[in-house]
Amino acid sequence: MFPQLARFTDLGLLLLRLMIGIVFLTSGWSHVTDPTTRGKRIGMSKGFTMLLGLAEIAGSLGVIFGVLQQLAAIGLILIMMGAIYKKIFSWHSGFWGEKASGWHYDLTFVVMCLVVLFTDGGQYVLTH
């Protein structure tokens, strides 16, 4: 319908990468700065929470700056798949979150990261 908008595809991908990066960077930062409290909240050990936080930070920086962005996207997808698994099988959360926060949010980020994976993040990346 609006073929002239296709010229903004790379800008759209950059904005998508920034959104992914901001969310994972802030989440990872909260894991790293207070792993005991965060670990209790998500039902994980302090050590695993620290590792999870560092992985989220590394993945977010890769996606934001376009450095190994496809590998970063895969890593973030795996993290989100773990979160979905935990919400469904441990917390028994529904898609919308009848008993706790739902896994619709996590699935949205899986799909967003798949876009980065499939497109290599667009043209506005540091490495190509």
Side-chain angles (χ1 to χ4, degrees), residues 84-96:
I84 290 169
Y85 180 87
K86 181 103 174 151
K87 286 182 178 183
I88 292 172
F89 296 105
S90 295
W91 299 345
H92 307 287
S93 298
F95 183 74
W96 294 112

Side-chain angles (χ1 to χ4, degrees), residues 64-76:
I64 288 171
F65 293 110
V67 177
L68 301 174
Q69 62 274 11
Q70 289 177 305
L71 289 176
I74 291 170
L76 295 175

Side-chain angles (χ1 to χ4, degrees), residues 15-90:
L15 294 172
L16 179 75
R17 289 185 7 244
L18 290 174
M19 187 71 235
I20 293 167
I22 290 168
V23 169
F24 279 100
L25 186 64
T26 57
S27 174
W29 185 254
S30 72
H31 288 348
V32 169
T33 56
D34 191 4
T36 303
T37 303
R38 276 302 276 168
K40 286 179 185 175
R41 187 168 173 224
I42 63 173
M44 298 292 176
S45 69
K46 179 181 176 180
F48 183 82
T49 302
M50 283 286 290
L51 179 65
L52 179 62
L54 292 173
E56 286 183 338
I57 290 170
S60 70
L61 294 175
V63 168
I64 288 171
F65 293 110
V67 177
L68 301 174
Q69 62 274 11
Q70 289 177 305
L71 289 176
I74 291 170
L76 295 175
I77 289 168
L78 292 173
I79 290 169
M80 287 290 87
M81 295 304 291
I84 290 169
Y85 180 87
K86 181 103 174 151
K87 286 182 178 183
I88 292 172
F89 296 105
S90 295

Side-chain angles (χ1 to χ4, degrees), residues 93-114:
S93 298
F95 183 74
W96 294 112
E98 295 82 26
K99 297 179 183 176
S101 60
W103 50 275
H104 64 284
Y105 173 84
D106 309 273
L107 186 61
T108 300
F109 276 94
V110 168
V111 174
M112 291 167 69
C113 287
L114 284 172

